[in-house]
């Protein structure tokens, strides 16, 4: 076992780092202020392959793996958490549903334009009354045999990317009596009649991400758009979220590493009591602790990615990575602000934004409590 | 049409420091990059290829140590079609003259319609290799290219000069040396990186080129250049700009010269 990245991964890391430095960093502060995502940036991310990393070339993807995707998520999130989640929801929540469960015809129609073009996807699972308890779906899809269509009615909340996305995987009850096994997954074209998308929800962090309420009123979708069988929706959502958590873990690592990099530069420059802050042992030890935690989080993240890439079950590894890395991101970003004092608290310095962005990593794609349910479940703690 | 771009892997001079004692570049631990002018040449070649869209190909040639492989992968990931690495112990220590001999020998075997090189490499700044290759190949050359337009068998080049531009028409086969301003390089494509590592890079050593190479002309022994000393640049003071009528300007200059007892 060695901890070195392969040549392919190293060169990809170089690309993602350069892209983040030159294309994302200059926009991040303004996107946060205006709560708008820059559409030119989105187009560039599509152009250079950042929106289709772990998908096969056959459908226009990059042909990379989950480790490549984690590297991208870290580099991008070092500069901007909002851009990180934009890539993540598109890649590991929307595209993965099609990649895992779509037929070749469905992949051609709904995956290819999203990884080989400019179309963007989102993922509509959470509802006002179905958060951690995602099985409690109230959105309904009723089959109309006359037209071979489903008619969708209901409301989703917190659908990231919905502000500009073209497609959404929407989860809806097709058979209430079956409970979790009564949920199905549909690709909905968001430009179609009956779909209403709210303004970007006002939030504490990742403010440039476009995270809206989406209501579906008599939205007709061809049966062709159903991914997997009827009743497979919950399974599809959980599979997608397992992979998504690796992306969020990597986003957390990026936010934390970015904050360390900023704080390092600052403590070398800033002088108090006649010396740079970096000369104080408390500063040195704090940074040593911060970097150690981030390295541990990164290793857990890479382990989860490699486990997934090897084809083994990785639910537990992904949940552990997300649980740990999201906690580290919050601790480390908070300490980075502390190291930089009043300036760290100001919007002019990116650690202020990183601290606000970090909080969400403990909430979305399953809260930290839900991660512990997944991990303890896999450990069979409660089994006889 | 076949475009060949010659590139060099150089230390990233943004990260390089001079050894205060020997005045030589400290290369240890410094990341390597594709020389800026050369990267702009790659971009120009790719644009010509895309514009013509007629099966035109872009081939990259690099002479350097085995580690230069990554520079070629980067060029492939930007969209180049094939790559050659010229690497051999016998080539080590070559100056610009010997380097140009080795590269032109390779180019004769590879074949070309248009050869692009960078103007100069940031670790040597000689600007000699491109023109020397053209001489060895016996093809016309235009250096300092800032704009390039291909028209059939003809290339129109806007050549930057100190105080003017030259517009030069040249027939292919020919060689151009590119300025960094010629074309802003694109990023690698993420999928291009995967493809780049699935491709074979042709590595040519001395034996592969020996039919056209005289061993006495290459390497350290074949290099006529002798570096006597190297030293850091003296920092010039910032100049002062006067935006005044000619009469006044003349007076200012005379005053300055008198002040320093030069006149
Ligand atoms: C910015 C943002 C982006 C999002 N993007 C998307 C998206 O793109 N698509 C999508 O479908 N959803 C998205 N979500 C939704 C997100 O996944 C949910 O908010 C999250 O799963 C938690 O659900 P909830 O907010 O309803 O909280 P609740 O489920 O109400 O939880 C509240 C608290 O109770 C705890 N809790 C709940 N049940 C238990 C239990 N059994 N034991 C112990 N503690 C428990 C939780 O851990 C949490 O701390 C997004 C949310 C946000 C804020």
């Amino acid at each position: 076992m060695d901890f070195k990245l392969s040549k392919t991964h190293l060169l990809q890391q170089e690309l993602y780092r350069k892209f983040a430095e030159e294309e994302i960093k200059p926009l991040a502060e303004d996107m946060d202020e205006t709560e708008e995502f820059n559409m030119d940036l989105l187009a560039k991310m599509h152009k250079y392959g950042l929106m289709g990393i772990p998908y096969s070339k056959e459908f226009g993807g990059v042909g990379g793996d989950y480790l490549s995707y984690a590297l991208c998520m870290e580099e991008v999130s070092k500069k901007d958490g909002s851009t990180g989640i934009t890539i993540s929801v598109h890649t590991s929540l929307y595209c993965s549903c099609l990649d895992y469960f779509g037929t070749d015809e469905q992949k051609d129609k709904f995956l290819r334009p999203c990884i080989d073009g400019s179309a963007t996807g989102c993922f509509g699972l959470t509802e006002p009354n179905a958060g951690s308890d995602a099985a409690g779906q109230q959105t309904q899809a009723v089959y109309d045999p006359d037209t071979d269509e489903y008619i969708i009615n209901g409301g989703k909340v917190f659908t990231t990317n919905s502000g500009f996305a073209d497609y959404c995987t929407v989860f809806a009850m097709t058979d209430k009596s079956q409970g979790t096994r009564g949920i199905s997954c549909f690709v909905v074209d968001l430009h179609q009649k009956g779909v209403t998308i709210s303004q970007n929800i006002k939030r504490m962090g990742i403010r440039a991400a476009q995270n809206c309420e989406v209501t579906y009123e008599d939205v007709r979708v061809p049966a062709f758009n159903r991914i997997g069988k009827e009743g497979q929706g919950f399974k599809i959502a959980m599979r997608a979220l397992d992979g998504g958590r690796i992306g969020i873990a990597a986003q957390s690592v990026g936010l934390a590493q970015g904050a360390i990099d900023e704080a390092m530069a600052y403590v070398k420059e800033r002088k108090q009591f006649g010396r740079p802050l970096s000369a104080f042992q408390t500063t040195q030890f704090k940074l040593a602790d911060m970097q150690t935690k981030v390295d541990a989080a990164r290793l857990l993240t890479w382990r989860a990615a490699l486990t997934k890439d090897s084809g083994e079950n990785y639910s537990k590894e992904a949940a552990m990575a997300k649980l740990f890395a999201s906690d580290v991101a919050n601790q480390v970003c908070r300490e980075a602000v502390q190291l930089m004092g009043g300036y760290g608290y100001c919007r002019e310095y990116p650690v202020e934004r990183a601290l606000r962005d970090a909080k969400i990593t403990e909430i979305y794609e399953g809260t930290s409590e839900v991660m512990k349910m997944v991990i303890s479940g896999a450990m069979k703690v409660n089994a006889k | 049409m076949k475009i060949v771009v010659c590139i060099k892997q150089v230390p990233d001079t943004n990260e390089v420091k001079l050894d205060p004692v020997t005045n030589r570049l400290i290369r240890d631990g410094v990341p390597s990059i594709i020389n800026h002018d050369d990267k702009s040449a790659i971009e120009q070649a790719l644009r010509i290829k895309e514009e013509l869209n007629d099966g035109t190909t872009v081939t990259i040639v690099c002479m350097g140590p085995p580690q230069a492989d990554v520079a070629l992968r980067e060029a492939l990931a930007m969209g180049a079609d094939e790559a050659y690495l010229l690497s051999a112990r016998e080539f080590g220590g070559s100056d610009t003259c010997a380097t140009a001999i080795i590269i032109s020998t390779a180019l004769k075997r590879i074949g070309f319609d248009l050869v692009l090189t960078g103007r100069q490499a940031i670790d040597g700044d000689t600007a000699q290799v491109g023109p020397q290759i053209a001489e060895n190949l016996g093809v016309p050359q235009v250096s300092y290219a800032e704009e390039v337009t291909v028209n059939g068998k003809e290339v129109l080049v806007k050549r930057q000069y100190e105080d003017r531009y030259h517009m030069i028409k040249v027939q292919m086969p020919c060689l151009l040396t590119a300025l960094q301003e010629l074309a802003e390089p694109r990023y690698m494509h993420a999928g291009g990186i995967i493809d780049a590592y699935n491709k074979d890079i042709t590595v040519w050593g001395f034996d592969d080129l020996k039919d056209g190479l005289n061993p006495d002309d290459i390497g350290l022994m074949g290099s006529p250049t002798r570096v006597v000393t190297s030293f850091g640049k003296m920092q010039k003071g910032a100049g002062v700009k006067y935006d005044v009528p000619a009469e006044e300007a003349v007076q200012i200059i005379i005053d300055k010269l008198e002040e320093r007892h030069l006149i």
Side-chain angles (χ1 to χ4, degrees), chain A residues 15 22-23 47-48 57 62, chain B residues 187-191 194-195:
Chain A
L15 163 67
E22 292 174 5
E23 303 293 333
K47 179 172 170 196
Y48 289 105
K57 296 236 172 218
V62 159
Chain B
Y187 296 103
M188 294 177 273
H189 187 279
I194 310 280
D195 293 341

Side-chain angles (χ1 to χ4, degrees), chain A residues 89 123-126 131-132 157-160 203 206 211 360 363-367 369 373:
Chain A
V89 167
F123 178 86
L125 176 68
T126 306
S132 299
V157 68
F158 296 132
T159 309
T160 304
R203 295 179 309 275
I206 56 156
N211 182 260
I360 190 61
I363 299 172
Y364 58 21
E365 305 203 18
T367 62
E369 292 72 24
M373 292 180 202

Side-chain angles (χ1 to χ4, degrees), chain B residues 72-218:
Chain B
L72 290 168
R73 304 284 173 190
E74 184 177 346
L76 291 172
M78 288 169 73
D81 298 283
E82 52 167 6
Y84 291 81
L85 177 62
L86 315 180
S87 196
R89 214 165 17 90
E90 291 87 340
F91 302 165
S94 292
D95 66 358
T96 63
C97 176
T99 300
I101 289 172
I102 297 163
I103 295 177
S104 3
T105 308
L107 288 177
K108 282 180 202 157
R109 274 193 62 182
I110 294 167
F112 57 87
D113 296 295
L114 177 63
V115 178
L116 295 174
T117 73
R119 169 191 48 173
Q120 63 190 34
I122 53 176
D123 60 346
D125 277 353
T126 70
Q128 292 166 356
V129 172
Q132 293 183 98
I133 294 173
E135 284 301 314
N136 295 340
L137 295 173
V139 298
Q141 57 173 293
V142 182
S143 52
Y144 301 93
E146 198 186 290
E147 259 175 49
V148 171
T149 325
V150 173
N151 246 324
K153 280 266 138 206
E154 197 174 79
V155 189
L156 182 64
V157 186
K158 183 174 172 191
R159 177 184 196 226
Q160 195 190 76
Y161 228 57
E162 234 154 64
D163 58 347
R164 75 200 70 178
Y165 288 103
H166 294 161
M167 296 302 292
I168 298 177
K169 264 188 200 160
V170 55
Q171 291 287 326
M172 287 191 273
C174 62
L175 180 144
L176 315 177
T177 80
L179 295 179
Q180 195 180 342
E181 299 90 315
L182 174 60
E184 163 94 27
R186 69 195 63 191
Y187 296 103
M188 294 177 273
H189 187 279
I193 294 174
I194 310 280
D195 293 341
Y197 276 100
N198 284 330
K199 276 188 184 164
D200 288 325
I201 286 177
T202 308
V203 182
W204 278 349
F206 176 73
D207 282 347
D208 299 293
L209 296 174
K210 68 169 184 257
D211 289 347
L213 271 185
N214 180 347
D216 295 338
D217 294 342
I218 60 168

